[in-house]
Amino acid sequence: MSQLDPKESNPILDFALNYEYPPYKDQTGTDKVVAFGDASHKCPIYVEQRPPCNDACPAGNDIRAWLTTVQQIETKKLSKEEVYRMLWNEVSKTQPLPAVCGRVCPNPCEGGCNRNEKDGSVSINAFERWLGDYAILNGFDHEKLTDNVRPETIAVVGSGPAGLSCAFQLARRGYKVTIFEAFKETGGMLRYGIPPYRLPRNIIDAEVAAIERMGVEIRCSTVIGKDISLDELKEKYDAVYLAIGAHKGIRLGLEGEDAPNVMTGAEFLNRVHSGEKVDVGDQVVVIGGGDTAIDAARVSLRLGADKVTILYRRTRNEMPAIDPEIEEALEENVDIQFLTAPIGIVSENGRAVAVKCQRMELGEPDKSGRRRPVAIEGSEFEVPCSILIPSISQEPEWLDAERYISGRDWLKPKKDWSLEDGVFAGGDAVNLGLVCGAIGDGRKAAESIHAKFTGEFPPLEEKKVIKAKDMSLEYYEDAERSERGHLAPEVRVKDGLETEIDQGITEEQFIKEAHRCMSCGLCFDCRQCVSFCPHGTIKRYKDNPVGEVMYTKYSECEGCHLCQLICPCGYIQMGGAEGL
């Protein structure tokens, strides 16, 4: 980051010295005009604001704190190892799965980053992955909030991201937690839905193991409603958290889809990732535009299909799948036919041999906000298939949890994530969403469960979100965004399911991305205000942490506003001098 020299002419200083301050009303209601050096109305105050990256993160991660922690390698003169340990402790306050999320999260935080207004967002997701991998490599453990063991016991149903997050947060607070998992291994849709070329299984295993080291017990191959009832859990445990996911694929409702070579995307991926041999043949047809459809298509290529076709009834703009995954599928020669809808299945000898399709055009938006596809008369055609994989959506399989729903409804917890006294829910069983959203659900439910027993609620976050227009972006040097390395398409398809495509970033890039963070809305010790204050009334604490660095001697402040105008991150605002 650049430093402006107060001895040299520069546009910010010129602007401050020539700024015409707007009129204000004094205590009597009289209009007054402020001149440079007039301290009668306002002096600097220090107001922490919420950065848009934090605001956009469904997991509730304090991303700004992550990035500015690494900046302290220089400002605090600490070793990299010391800083990485500090960073790990900061990350694990809200994120027990950074290496997982660093691979599969579509990074909504980066869409909110104010640096997009300059030279591209900070590579937050790649930064998160690097730290997660470093923690695995170095055997980092999570810190507990207390050494005391609480008397209450908690049952968590499901070891997907929501269940793991809830168990982790409760274990941090001293609770004894048992996770009940229906499948043979942990991870839920992380393991049984996401292919290993996107998310290696050793990464899931390592981060789950770190949660187990917190004292969490995990019992796999235990189905609630079959091996043990929900009522038994309610009787044995003081609270139950339902994070059962949405593993059941929704069918098309077309005649012929009961054929053995027709299976939903969720079923197909589950069977493949469970180690079952699935013969896809030479012509695979996938229906849908979400992540499951893209994953099913790309897995089919790696299982030996000659041609894979995705049929999607809208356009690329409406596809809900993660954009990089769509790009990689196209690079691998997956044929995506847009504005195409299935209207029938052609069968021979009890097997599907083709999909009857119809061309579509987009009409008015439906309740989802996307334009509704409208059929074009006389546009029917057929696409041959050796296997048909409808991947249009998923839903939970309820078993004992069906008592909390009506018809095909999903679980509907209250604001505190409870379904009834002592029973809570979250994750995909409440609403299909992102992995980071499920992690956030689990944390919030854990906080509510903790509050049930202690009355301790988390503080409300009411900070204003700071935007780029409220900052001085010209202070920050241009710095090109670090991009991840990827295997070439011809290499990654040939190498099969197990070879990871995304190669991440280097340690050098990791540190560079931290320094690209502009610390929006919070002091990062740039000392511009100290340098430019005409009367030296702004002082710097020597030992306080970032965020509590500066203070003002208000008895000597003349209210010139220069510190506010020179502050690049928007942390300094002008407040009433009375009572300061």
Side-chain angles (χ1 to χ4, degrees):
M1 296 178 180
S2 59
Q3 287 283 337
L4 299 176
D5 187 346
K7 298 178 182 179
E8 299 291 334
S9 175
N10 64 72
I12 298 179
L13 182 58
D14 292 342
F15 173 76
L17 294 174
N18 295 290
Y19 182 67
E20 294 184 6
Y21 296 99
Y24 72 100
K25 293 185 182 296
D26 65 13
Q27 292 178 327
T28 66
T30 304
D31 286 333
K32 298 190 70 175
V33 176
V34 183
F36 186 80
D38 180 358
S40 62
H41 72 307
K42 290 184 177 181
C43 287
I45 57 175
Y46 305 95
V47 182
E48 180 180 348
Q49 297 172 77
R50 186 172 174 82
C53 56
N54 290 18
D55 190 60
C57 177
N61 296 325
D62 189 352
I63 296 163
R64 177 181 60 195
W66 298 5
L67 296 162
T68 54
T69 294
V70 177
Q71 292 177 8
Q72 295 180 57
I73 291 173
E74 296 176 3
T75 58
K76 297 295 183 183
K77 297 182 179 179
L78 300 171
S79 70
K80 289 180 181 179
E81 291 70 24
E82 289 174 309
V83 169
Y84 295 162
R85 175 66 73 169
M86 290 168 54
L87 172 60
W88 170 251
N89 292 336
E90 187 66 46
V91 167
S92 70
K93 290 177 181 178
T94 54
Q95 175 56 286
L97 304 169
V100 166
C101 261
R103 287 169 165 83
V104 301
C105 180
N107 45 72
C109 54
E110 293 183 19
C113 178
N114 280 330
R115 188 127 197 163
N116 281 312
E117 301 295 322
K118 189 173 179 70
D119 50 19
S121 67
V122 176
S123 229
I124 299 166
N125 192 234
F127 176 95
E128 180 180 21
R129 170 185 165 163
W130 190 93
L131 186 275
D133 287 353
Y134 181 90
I136 291 172
L137 184 64
N138 290 276
F140 281 6
D141 283 325
H142 300 284
E143 286 189 340
K144 287 193 173 187
L145 295 176
T146 177
D147 291 329
N148 297 327
V149 178
R150 293 198 57 84
E152 299 89 356
T153 58
I154 317 295
V156 173
V157 182
S159 68
L164 290 170
S165 176
C166 183
F168 165 75
Q169 292 293 346
L170 290 168
R172 290 181 75 220
R173 291 164 170 80
Y175 292 90
K176 291 174 285 187
V177 185
T178 303
I179 296 177
F180 294 88
E181 171 54 57
F183 292 124
K184 293 181 180 180
E185 296 184 85
T186 57
M189 287 301 290
L190 297 176
R191 186 183 302 273
Y192 293 98
I194 300 175
Y197 59 77
R198 289 180 57 199
L199 180 56
R201 299 323 188 222
N202 65 310
I203 297 298
I204 301 173
D205 293 338
E207 295 205 313
V208 170
I211 294 172
E212 289 184 282
R213 293 197 296 271
M214 298 279 285
V216 174
E217 179 187 358
I218 302 178
R219 299 181 190 176
C220 291
S221 300
T222 306
V223 181
I224 305 305
K226 180 181 176 183
D227 299 310
I228 184 172
S229 72
L230 184 55
D231 286 331
E232 289 177 280
L233 289 185
K234 290 169 62 179
E235 183 178 344
K236 184 176 180 180
Y237 294 88
D238 296 291
V240 178
Y241 179 62
L242 300 179
I244 60 177
H247 294 266
K248 182 181 178 182
I250 294 177
R251 300 177 74 81
L252 294 169
L254 297 176
E255 185 178 351
E257 66 177 334
D258 57 349
N261 63 331
V262 178
M263 63 188 76
T264 67
E267 179 188 357
F268 171 73
L269 292 172
N270 185 297
R271 289 169 64 176
V272 172
H273 300 329
S274 296
E276 183 178 338
K277 182 175 175 58
V278 180
D279 183 7
V280 297
D282 57 354
Q283 291 184 303
V284 177
V285 175
V286 179
I287 298 170
D291 291 323
T292 298
I294 298 293
D295 286 342
R298 299 178 69 192
V299 166
S300 296
L301 280 177
R302 288 156 174 80
L303 293 179
D306 293 329
K307 181 175 177 57
V308 178
T309 303
I310 294 177
L311 308 179
Y312 180 57
R313 61 182 185 155
R314 291 183 169 95
T315 72
R316 168 76 182 268
N317 291 336
E318 288 79 32
M319 269 187 115
I322 302 171
D323 197 61
E325 299 301 318
I326 301 173
E327 287 294 332
E328 290 184 3
L330 292 171
E331 290 173 359
E332 294 168 7
N333 294 320
V334 171
D335 177 21
I336 305 179
Q337 296 196 22
F338 298 103
L339 292 171
T340 303
I343 58 174
I345 297 173
V346 181
S347 300
E348 291 181 6
N349 300 319
R351 294 179 64 85
V353 296
V355 184
K356 188 176 181 181
C357 304
Q358 189 169 36
R359 297 294 184 193
M360 314 295 284
E361 59 185 359
L362 294 184
E364 296 299 316
D366 60 18
K367 60 183 179 182
S368 73
R370 296 180 295 175
R371 293 175 64 190
R372 184 173 59 87
V374 179
I376 299 174
E377 290 187 16
S379 63
E380 294 84 0
F381 66 103
E382 292 183 2
V383 179
C385 66
S386 54
I387 185 172
L388 175 61
I389 308 175
S391 305
I392 56 175
S393 192
Q394 293 161 219
E395 62 184 1
E397 293 190 87
W398 296 117
L399 295 178
D400 264 9
E402 64 188 5
R403 71 184 70 182
Y404 300 114
I405 65 172
S406 175
R408 291 177 63 91
D409 276 352
W410 292 37
L411 295 179
K412 291 183 171 60
K414 302 169 188 174
K415 289 184 177 180
D416 66 351
W417 299 92
S418 69
L419 296 166
E420 63 174 346
D421 184 34
V423 179
F424 300 78
D428 279 350
V430 172
N431 183 39
L432 277 177
L434 305 176
V435 170
C436 54
I439 289 171
D441 286 358
R443 175 181 55 80
K444 293 168 189 174
E447 291 169 348
S448 291
I449 292 169
H450 181 62
K452 168 183 169 62
F453 298 123
T454 65
E456 299 173 6
F457 291 89
L460 293 176
E461 177 68 72
E462 296 182 345
K463 297 185 180 76
K464 171 189 171 186
V465 177
I466 186 168
K467 301 298 184 183
K469 63 181 178 60
D470 301 315
M471 301 170 60
S472 298
L473 299 188
E474 58 269 34
Y475 168 81
Y476 303 93
E477 293 180 348
D478 289 337
E480 186 178 357
R481 171 185 160 96
S482 301
E483 300 293 351
R484 309 166 188 250
H486 289 81
L487 293 182
E490 60 275 11
V491 174
R492 61 195 191 220
V493 174
K494 180 181 177 182
D495 283 358
L497 287 172
E498 303 298 326
T499 301
E500 186 172 15
I501 295 171
D502 182 347
Q503 301 295 294
I505 58 175
T506 65
E507 183 177 15
E508 181 182 6
Q509 289 174 309
F510 169 80
I511 295 172
K512 174 188 172 184
E513 287 306 299
H515 283 83
R516 291 183 72 238
C517 174
M518 302 187 295
S519 190
C520 306
L522 183 64
C523 180
F524 58 94
D525 199 14
C526 71
R527 311 186 195 185
Q528 293 291 93
C529 55
V530 174
S531 299
F532 281 93
C533 179
H535 299 284
T537 58
I538 295 181
K539 307 295 182 182
R540 178 177 177 274
Y541 291 112
K542 290 184 178 180
D543 300 319
N544 283 27
V546 169
E548 301 177 30
V549 175
M550 306 302 170
Y551 69 95
T552 298
K553 294 179 68 175
Y554 289 110
S555 60
E556 300 175 11
C557 176
E558 296 194 1
C560 68
H561 289 61
L562 184 55
C563 56
Q564 178 195 21
L565 293 167
I566 213 71
C567 177
C569 66
Y571 180 58
I572 299 179
Q573 300 181 25
M574 303 308 291
E578 296 83 3
L580 294 174

